[in-house]
């Protein structure tokens, strides 16, 4: 048994004595009889039976056989990923780890190349029924084979758009001319490697090499194309999988259908990811900074129960405006017109402009109709009148020439703005310079850089649609798209319904929220209405008494007068006393300060001078580098709780703002705001259980230096209300959590120290994983959790349930009946869940919209169970997940994902601030994390890429006193 050093605090009891001794396994959850429960779709994963008659032989690359048995026969062992029985049931040893002698082993994690995820244990029945429509449109597919060809285009690494042009030209040329290999055929192509045809091409099994020449700007471009038969794709096999008769979906068939559906739109519109956009015609939504909103549509092919679906949604993203570079400069630098800029750019102006223009494609306007395109690699420090380059003249002599002189002599053009810098384009070593005034931004370039806060706000206002309006827009999109008139869709015999699929959902019962009181009789309970409840007249479940606290005001005295601070203090005390978190007396310290430089010395002075200091309230003058420094010093250096508040909220206090501040302060000091009413909690709470949340945040698109940050949180009590955090920096853009085993081990030890119990079950909510990453995440991270348990004690094998939470998808749900619509936005009710109709044909997944939609259309979260030792029924897991969405401490609302997953995101986001250095301009900053001297000091705050991984690991290491509380709230 792993022991906690020193004397542990009194245990937080689970309402019953421990049911098991050291090293033993928890018994399975006791469930009520399943009367009225429909049979599972196919045999449950923990009780394999024989499959239906075997389908025709399938290439091994398409569908791997069930683990341990031949295709079509009963598996000889439990399905990988499915729960094979109670957590203590015998099973194979964990690969790579020795099995302790005489200890029963739980099932081993899956091999990376063979993953059978748990089967749906049946459908949920809990809650009242609600009729819904989803933006999925049924596809009819023929029972035929499609022919798959591998394509290699040389030169490689051309944009998909160019590759499509090459193949389009190739098909046209070799339909009319010998060898007429595409005669009577209409192939589809994915822009990279895959081509599909309805009938077999007359090329046999051999490679066929063909040449294509495309006309270009001033010169023709030659390409070599190699075709090779790759295999058959069976749509009949896909039908069997949709009916639940195959253990794994044939993804090659789904990919083929997706390519067919995307082929024509990809040639017609501007593709971005899985969406298609076209330039604005009858609307204009500028975002500022040379960016604008483009509207389009998302399209993806998805398997569901018994049928394939086409998921269609409206989509919007930011593009760069096609305009002269001089206009782009004006917008970027917030000028009224280019005539304002009569002098060369200052260094700060040039740096800002370079950051925005670098990497964009421009076209020249000084060569008549020949609009050559280039990519910007830099902006010159010198203006066009002073920037020189080696010019080889007609007589063969090479002279140093300015850009302004070159354009005057070579192009007979006198520059209007010779005092402005030049764009350096193409390869940096080539020294190709272009004056700003002869360049335009090329149309159709998506903005991948992070939007500013103002741009994000403008974007939301421009794109938010109420649910009924969004439903109408999607239906109009589908009518306008006329999928059934698409000649490529017709070629392959597909047909798309024009009506949204209608499904039956359920609105889950809401949990009761319990607050505190001085006696058991006056402990209040709140019942959420439409995902919201009120704390008025109630007190925190466990309020903290604040005796020693300080105020540090980093806003200037003329912005925040002393009277405002006094009023803020008294109002905060009144609200906090009502909430059961009394703030005793005046602050021990209240002073003004300027700039991030003063944070550390001031905080060190406060901690040294005032013994037992509990809290520092920091008043901020807006967006400023002071915030990052406050969190770095408070969280990592000194272990002091800090609460930041904007000066506008000090000058004008509202009960709502002050109440929200109290929610955060109480948990930062170790209090408990509220809990789930014990009588209403699911049965899994009858034994010690730890809830884990995990997330990995990556740097913004276009940044190739910053590390990714992995965060894992774990519940530390039986409510669950209190959480402990662990965080690590890891390799740039790595999604797998590299040090998960060590992180989970730390949380398990903390859980034991806090409660004196070992968790009998581990329930992990993993955020930020796409479907394509399921096998890798399951292979590495499930193994890491098992390893953490075995490292603590031989034979310690708690049941693990591993659930992926997905928010980045395009499924939307709409009320079929108007009376069910909630609020002004007409959204579905909070608690709406769907596990039929649009969910996976075989695997255990469901949609749950746990929050009340205030603006726009609610996005339900998608939950996919990757592993389940604990054998949850659909109702148990859906209700548990919904209840956990009510335990988020920062508001009195149900949130969109379970609290542990939300907290993991907050921890990772906070670690970004811990990585921010001051006084270093090392370029590792991105957009939002750069201070820009908002504190008046002029310091540049950036996350440094010059530091080693060890230094960054040390920077995100949280102080031991801070780790005891929810500092990230």
């Amino acid at each position: 048994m792993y022991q906690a050093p020193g004397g542990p605090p009194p245990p937080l009891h689970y309402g019953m004595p421990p049911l098991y001794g050291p090293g033993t396994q928890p018994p399975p959850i006791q469930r009520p009889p399943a009367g009225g429960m429909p049979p599972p779709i196919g045999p449950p994963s923990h009780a394999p039976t024989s499959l239906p008659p075997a389908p025709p032989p399938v290439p091994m690359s398409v569908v791997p056989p069930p683990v341990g048995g031949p295709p079509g026969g009963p598996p000889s062992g439990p399905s990988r990923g499915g729960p094979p029985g109670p957590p203590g049931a015998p099973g194979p040893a964990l690969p790579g780890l020795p099995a302790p002698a005489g200890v029963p082993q739980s099932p081993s994690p899956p091999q990376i190349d063979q993953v059978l995820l748990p089967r749906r244990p049946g459908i949920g029945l809990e809650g009242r029924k609600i009729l819904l429509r989803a933006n999925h449109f049924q596809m009819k597919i023929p029972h035929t084979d499609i022919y798959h060809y591998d394509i290699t285009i040389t030169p490689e690494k051309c944009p998909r758009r160019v590759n499509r042009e090459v193949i389009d030209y190739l098909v046209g040329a070799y339909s009319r001319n010998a060898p007429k290999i595409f005669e009577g055929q209409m192939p589809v192509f994915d822009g990279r490697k895959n081509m599909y045809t309805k009938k077999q091409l007359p090329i046999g099994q051999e490679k066929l090499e063909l040449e294509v020449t495309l006309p270009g700007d001033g010169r023709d471009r030659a390409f070599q194309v190699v075709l090779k038969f790759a295999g058959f794709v069976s749509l009949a096999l896909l039908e069997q999988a949709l009916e639940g008769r195959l253990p794994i979906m044939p993804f090659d068939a789904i990919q083929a259908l997706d390519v067919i559906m995307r082929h024509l739109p990809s040639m017609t519109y501007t593709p971005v990811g899985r969406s298609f956009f076209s330039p604005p015609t009858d609307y204009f939504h500028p975002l500022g900074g040379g960016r604008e909103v483009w509207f389009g549509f998302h399209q993806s092919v998805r398997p569901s129960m018994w049928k394939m679906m086409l998921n269609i949604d409206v989509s919007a993203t930011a593009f760069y405006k096609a305009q002269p570079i001089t206009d782009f400069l004006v917008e970027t630098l917030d000028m009224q017109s280019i005539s304002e800029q009569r002098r060369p750019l200052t260094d700060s102006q040039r740096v800002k402009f370079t950051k925005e223009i670098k990497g964009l494609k421009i076209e020249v306007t000084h060569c008549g109709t020949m609009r050559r395109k280039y990519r910007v690699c830099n902006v010159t420090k010198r203006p066009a009148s002073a920037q020189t380059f080696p010019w080889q003249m007609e007589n063969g002599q090479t002279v140093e020439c300015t850009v302004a002189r070159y354009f005057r002599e070579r192009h007979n053009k006198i520059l209007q703005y010779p005092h402005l810098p030049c764009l350096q384009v193409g390869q940096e070593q080539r020294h190709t310079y272009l004056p700003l005034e002869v360049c335009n931004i090329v149309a159709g370039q998506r903005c991948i850089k992070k939007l500013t806060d103002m741009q994000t706000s403008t974007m939301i206002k421009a794109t938010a649609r109420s649910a009924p309006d969004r439903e109408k827009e999607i239906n109009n999109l589908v009518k306008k798209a006329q999928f059934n008139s698409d000649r490529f869709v017709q070629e392959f015999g597909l047909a798309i319904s024009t009506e949204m699929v209608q499904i039956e959902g359920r609105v889950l019962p809401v949990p009761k929220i319990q607050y505190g009181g001085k006696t058991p009789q006056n402990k209040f309970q709140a019942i959420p209405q439409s995902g919201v409840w009120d704390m008025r007249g109630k007190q925190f479940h466990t309020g903290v008494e604040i005796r020693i606290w300080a105020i540090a005001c980093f806003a200037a005295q003329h912005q925040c007068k002393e009277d405002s601070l006094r009023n803020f203090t008294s109002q905060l005390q009144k609200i906090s006393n009502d909430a059961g978190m009394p703030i005793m007396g005046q602050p021990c310290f209240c002073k003004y300060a300027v700039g991030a430089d003063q944070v550390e010395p001031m905080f060190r002075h406060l901690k040294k001078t005032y013994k037992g200091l509990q809290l520092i309230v920091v008043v901020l003058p807006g967006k400023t580098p002071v915030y990052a420094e406050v969190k770095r010093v408070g969280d990592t250096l000194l272990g002091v709780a800090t609460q930041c508040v904007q000066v506008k909220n000090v000058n004008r206090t509202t009960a709502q703002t002050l109440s929200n501040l109290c929610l955060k302060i109480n948990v930062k000091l170790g209090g408990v705001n509220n809990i789930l009413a014990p009588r209403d909690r699911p049965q899994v709470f009858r034994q010690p259980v730890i809830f884990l949340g995990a997330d990995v945040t990556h740097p913004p698109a276009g940044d190739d230096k910053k590390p990714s940050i992995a965060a894992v949180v774990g519940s530390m009590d039986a409510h669950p209300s209190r959480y402990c955090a662990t965080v690590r920096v890891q390799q740039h853009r790595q999604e797998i959590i590299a040090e998960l085993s060590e992180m989970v081990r730390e949380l398990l030890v903390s859980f034991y120290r806090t409660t004196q119990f070992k968790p009998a079950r581990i329930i992990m909510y993993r955020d930020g994983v796409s479907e394509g990453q399921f096998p890798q995440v399951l292979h590495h991270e499930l193994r890491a959790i098992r390893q953490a348990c075995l490292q603590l004690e031989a034979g310690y094998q708690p049941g693990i349930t591993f659930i992926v939470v997905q928010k980045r998808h395009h499924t939307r749900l709409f009320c079929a009946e108007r009376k069910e619509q909630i609020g002004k936005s007409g959204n579905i009710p909070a608690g709406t869940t769907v596990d039929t109709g649009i969910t996976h044909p075989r695997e255990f997944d469901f949609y749950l919209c746990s929050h009340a939609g205030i603006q726009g259309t609610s996005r339900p979260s998608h939950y996919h169970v990757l592993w389940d030792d604990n054998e949850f029924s659909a109702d148990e897991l859906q209700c548990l997940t919904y209840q956990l969405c009510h335990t988020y401490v920062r508001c009195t609302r149900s949130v969109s994902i379970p609290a542990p997953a939300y907290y993991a995101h907050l921890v990772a986001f906070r670690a970004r601030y811990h990585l921010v250095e001051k006084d270093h301009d090392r370029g590792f900053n991105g957009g939002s994390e750069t201070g820009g001297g908002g504190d008046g000091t002029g310091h540049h705050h950036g996350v440094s890429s010059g530091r080693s991984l060890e230094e960054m690991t040390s920077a995100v290491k949280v102080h031991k006193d801070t780790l005891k509380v929810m500092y990230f709230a």
Side-chain angles (χ1 to χ4, degrees):
M1 179 113 118
Y2 47 101
Q3 299 293 334
L12 295 174
H13 292 294
Y14 277 76
M16 58 186 299
L19 296 180
Y20 58 100
T24 60
Q25 299 301 315
I29 302 170
Q30 297 299 310
R31 296 192 176 82
M37 183 77 150
I41 300 160
S45 54
H46 54 277
T49 64
S50 59
L51 294 169
V58 184
M60 295 302 291
S61 61
V62 178
V63 181
V67 179
S76 59
S79 302
R80 290 190 184 277
L94 191 69
L97 290 170
V103 176
Q105 299 295 302
S106 56
S108 61
Q111 299 301 322
I112 200 160
D113 56 343
Q114 292 182 326
V115 179
L116 281 181
L117 300 182
R119 273 193 113 139
R120 189 180 303 283
I123 59 172
L125 298 173
E126 194 80 35
R128 70 175 181 85
K129 292 179 179 177
I130 180 172
L131 206 57
L132 304 167
R133 283 188 291 269
N135 59 338
H136 289 222
F137 298 82
Q138 189 172 340
M139 297 177 68
K140 287 185 180 172
I141 56 178
H143 295 252
T144 56
D145 286 341
I146 291 173
Y147 297 87
H148 179 199
Y149 292 87
D150 184 71
I151 303 290
T152 305
I153 298 176
T154 310
E156 296 177 350
K157 296 186 179 175
C158 286
R160 284 179 189 252
R161 176 184 52 79
V162 174
N163 287 345
R164 289 183 201 282
E165 285 178 29
V166 169
I167 295 302
D168 192 45
Y169 188 89
L170 180 92
V171 170
Y174 292 100
S175 294
R176 300 183 298 270
N177 309 318
K180 297 184 178 181
I181 57 170
F182 295 110
E183 189 176 21
Q185 292 264 42
M186 294 180 68
V188 293
F189 177 54
D190 70 351
R192 282 277 179 259
K193 294 282 291 177
N194 300 293
M195 176 191 278
Y196 299 93
T197 60
K198 182 181 180 182
K199 294 177 284 191
Q200 194 161 6
L201 299 179
I203 64 172
Q205 302 285 331
E206 299 302 313
K207 285 184 180 178
L208 177 66
E209 294 188 16
L210 300 167
E211 287 196 359
V212 173
T213 302
L214 292 183
D217 293 330
R219 62 182 178 191
D220 292 345
R221 294 172 296 167
F223 298 88
Q224 263 203 334
V225 181
V226 178
L227 282 82
K228 189 174 190 311
F229 179 67
F232 302 96
V233 176
S234 171
L235 297 184
L237 202 64
L238 177 59
E239 282 281 359
Q240 293 180 22
L242 295 171
E243 293 165 6
R245 294 169 56 200
L246 285 181
I248 276 185
M249 295 301 298
F251 282 108
D252 62 340
I254 296 172
Q255 178 182 316
L257 293 178
D258 200 47
V259 173
I260 294 166
M261 294 303 306
R262 296 175 66 79
H263 183 80
L264 187 59
S266 296
M267 305 285 279
T268 313
Y269 304 106
T270 303
V272 174
R274 307 201 70 77
S275 296
F276 299 101
F277 296 92
S278 52
T281 50
D282 54 350
Y283 64 88
F284 178 50
H285 291 292
L287 293 172
R291 302 166 181 181
E292 63 185 1
V293 181
W294 282 27
F295 287 98
F297 65 98
H298 164 92
Q299 174 186 303
S300 62
V301 170
R302 301 194 59 80
S304 66
M305 292 179 175
W306 305 100
K307 51 199 171 289
M308 288 301 296
M309 293 287 191
L310 188 65
N311 178 204
I312 299 289
D313 191 21
V314 291
S315 195
T317 195
F319 277 76
Y320 288 101
K321 255 194 278 185
Q323 62 180 346
I325 295 289
T326 47
D327 292 349
F328 183 78
L329 178 77
V330 166
E331 288 199 41
T332 303
L333 300 182
D334 295 320
M335 296 188 240
Q336 291 299 315
S337 78
I338 194 68
S339 57
E340 276 183 39
Q341 192 66 37
R342 293 177 182 167
R343 296 170 177 242
L345 298 184
T346 64
D347 282 350
S348 63
Q349 284 179 317
R350 183 179 50 78
V351 167
K352 187 176 181 184
F353 177 58
T354 303
K355 188 178 163 192
E356 291 302 322
I357 194 76
K358 199 170 179 178
L360 291 190
K361 281 171 101 174
I362 57 97
E363 60 184 13
V364 296
T365 60
H366 65 284
C367 296
T369 56
M370 195 175 74
R371 296 275 182 119
R372 288 203 64 179
K373 296 180 176 64
Y374 300 91
R375 197 172 291 279
V376 178
C377 66
N378 214 337
V379 175
T380 60
K381 290 185 179 179
R382 292 186 287 181
S385 58
Q387 179 64 49
T388 61
F389 68 98
W391 180 24
Q392 189 171 17
M393 303 178 75
E394 290 177 7
N395 60 10
Q397 187 183 357
T398 300
V399 296
E400 280 294 309
C401 177
T402 66
V403 173
R405 177 189 161 196
Y406 172 81
F407 270 79
R408 186 174 66 246
E409 296 184 9
R410 179 77 173 81
H411 296 288
N412 196 28
K413 181 176 178 64
I414 296 173
L415 296 184
Q416 276 186 277
Y417 311 108
H419 57 285
L420 293 180
C422 300
L423 299 180
Q424 187 176 356
V425 297
Q427 296 174 334
E428 205 147 356
Q429 61 271 24
R430 293 283 295 273
H431 301 290
T432 307
Y433 304 112
L434 293 168
L436 303 189
E437 61 199 78
V438 302
C439 302
N440 286 349
I441 301 272
V442 171
Q445 295 183 83
R446 181 194 172 209
C447 173
I448 61 168
K449 294 187 173 87
K450 189 175 171 66
L451 299 182
T452 65
D453 290 348
M454 183 62 76
Q455 288 171 341
T456 302
S457 173
T458 307
M459 183 90 169
I460 290 169
K461 285 174 188 163
T463 57
R465 300 282 185 277
S466 69
D469 286 350
R470 193 183 191 107
E471 183 180 11
K472 200 179 297 177
E473 279 190 36
I474 293 169
N475 283 324
N476 289 340
L477 262 175
V478 171
K479 286 185 178 71
K480 187 179 171 186
Q482 294 186 317
F483 293 114
N484 294 324
S485 301
D486 181 330
R487 60 187 185 276
F488 296 97
V489 171
Q490 292 173 346
E491 164 84 352
F492 288 89
L494 308 183
I496 317 300
S497 169
T498 55
E499 300 292 326
M500 284 191 183
V501 66
Q502 193 151 303
I503 50 178
E504 189 175 76
R506 290 166 292 114
V507 181
L508 298 177
V510 294
K512 294 186 179 72
I513 310 298
Q514 186 162 304
Y515 282 88
K518 290 177 181 169
T519 63
Q521 289 73 33
N522 65 359
K523 286 187 186 296
F524 286 98
Q525 286 190 346
I527 300 175
Q529 300 287 333
S530 299
V532 184
W533 64 95
D534 197 343
M535 201 188 144
R536 280 178 297 190
K538 305 176 187 68
Q539 295 196 331
F540 291 138
H541 181 272
T542 311
V544 174
E545 192 175 276
I546 302 173
R547 293 185 173 277
I548 306 172
W549 64 297
I551 295 180
C553 183
F554 283 83
Q557 197 160 354
H558 69 86
Q559 274 185 294
C560 185
K561 295 186 167 56
E562 286 184 30
D563 287 347
S564 297
L565 286 171
R566 284 195 195 94
N567 178 60
F568 169 75
T569 301
S570 64
Q571 293 298 320
L572 180 64
Q573 285 179 313
K574 180 180 181 304
I575 296 283
S576 68
N577 287 339
D578 292 346
M581 184 190 75
I583 298 177
M584 315 300 284
Q586 293 300 303
C588 62
F589 174 98
C590 182
K591 291 203 174 168
Y592 290 90
V594 180
D597 284 346
Q598 293 194 13
V599 173
E600 188 173 337
M602 178 187 273
F603 282 20
R604 286 192 184 277
H605 166 75
L606 288 174
K607 188 167 184 186
K608 184 179 177 183
T609 308
Y610 303 100
K611 300 299 178 190
L613 178 68
Q614 293 167 278
L615 173 72
I616 304 173
V617 175
V618 181
V619 181
L620 297 177
K623 195 169 181 181
T624 163
V626 172
Y627 177 82
E629 183 66 356
V630 164
K631 295 307 175 185
R632 185 186 73 83
V633 174
D635 296 346
T636 68
L637 292 188
L638 304 179
V640 174
T642 57
Q643 180 58 57
C644 293
V645 56
Q646 291 290 339
V647 66
K648 64 181 182 183
N649 294 322
V650 173
N651 290 331
R652 196 176 69 184
T653 59
T654 64
Q656 182 67 58
T657 303
L658 294 172
S659 184
N660 287 345
L661 280 176
C662 291
L663 290 174
K664 298 171 74 166
I665 291 169
N666 191 50
V667 296
K668 285 179 182 179
L669 298 180
V672 174
N673 291 354
N674 54 51
I675 63 169
L676 296 171
R679 290 182 182 275
D680 294 342
R681 293 185 308 183
Q683 295 203 42
V684 70
F685 283 96
R686 295 187 62 198
Q687 295 169 321
V689 56
I690 185 169
F691 294 95
L692 302 179
D695 192 15
V696 178
T697 64
H698 303 292
D703 186 300
D704 59 353
K705 292 175 182 169
K706 284 188 202 165
S708 291
I709 296 177
V712 184
V713 302
S715 59
M716 292 291 128
D717 59 20
H719 300 315
S721 181
R722 293 178 55 238
Y723 283 78
C724 188
T726 59
V727 63
R728 300 286 192 278
V729 292
Q730 62 184 41
Q731 195 177 328
H732 174 80
R733 297 216 165 271
Q734 178 181 321
E735 184 55 52
I736 306 297
I737 302 176
E739 297 182 44
L740 183 62
S741 180
E742 180 60 30
M743 296 166 86
V744 170
R745 185 179 173 281
E746 287 174 21
L747 293 171
L748 291 173
V749 170
S750 296
F751 184 93
Y752 182 73
R753 284 176 176 164
T754 308
T755 68
Q756 290 297 283
F757 286 97
K758 292 188 305 176
R761 307 182 193 281
I762 296 174
I763 298 172
M764 162 76 97
Y765 285 94
R766 175 69 159 92
D767 197 4
V769 178
S770 64
E771 288 170 9
Q773 296 167 323
F774 283 1
Q776 291 87 351
V777 167
L778 187 57
H779 174 76
H780 292 285
E781 296 187 4
L782 180 66
R783 180 174 302 233
I785 298 172
R786 287 256 184 261
Q787 194 171 356
C789 297
L790 290 174
Q791 282 176 345
L792 289 169
E793 179 182 57
Y796 174 50
Q797 298 167 9
I800 298 171
T801 298
F802 195 110
I803 308 146
V804 166
V805 188
Q806 294 173 311
K807 284 284 288 177
R808 300 186 70 178
H809 60 81
H810 280 268
T811 293
R812 298 292 183 272
L813 302 172
F814 306 98
C815 296
E817 299 172 317
R818 192 168 181 177
K819 65 179 182 182
E820 293 283 11
Q821 294 175 0
I822 302 295
K824 290 180 182 176
S825 54
N827 274 301
I828 55 178
T832 300
T833 187
V834 170
D835 61 0
T836 60
I838 57 171
T839 48
H840 197 278
R842 179 187 182 279
E843 294 165 8
F844 190 2
D845 71 325
F846 59 93
Y847 290 93
L848 169 62
C849 183
S850 50
H851 64 294
I854 303 169
Q855 186 179 17
T857 305
S858 295
R859 187 201 312 248
S861 294
H862 185 214
Y863 298 87
H864 211 123
V865 181
L866 302 195
W867 189 272
D868 186 19
D869 289 332
N870 295 308
E871 295 181 18
F872 279 105
S873 71
D875 278 329
E876 284 166 343
L877 192 57
Q878 289 163 14
C879 288
L880 170 65
T881 300
Y882 186 42
Q883 292 202 8
L884 289 175
C885 294
H886 288 77
T887 63
Y888 184 63
V889 295
R890 304 214 301 187
C891 58
T892 53
R893 311 178 69 89
S894 174
V895 289
S896 59
I897 57 176
Y902 213 139
Y903 294 150
H905 177 75
L906 293 181
V907 171
F909 195 72
R910 176 65 60 84
R912 285 261 171 235
Y913 284 110
H914 294 161
L915 278 175
V916 171
E917 290 185 306
K918 64 186 176 70
D919 304 327
H920 294 283
D921 187 356
R922 299 186 185 173
F924 182 22
N925 65 317
S928 61
E929 293 161 1
T930 304
D935 56 355
T937 65
H939 285 313
H940 174 100
H941 291 235
V943 186
S944 170
S945 60
R947 287 184 285 179
S948 67
L949 196 62
E950 289 74 21
E951 287 174 306
M952 289 190 286
T953 299
S954 175
V956 300
K957 191 174 173 63
V958 175
H959 193 280
K960 60 182 175 59
D961 292 342
T962 305
L963 269 181
K964 296 173 186 172
V965 295
M966 294 171 66
Y967 68 91
F968 47 84

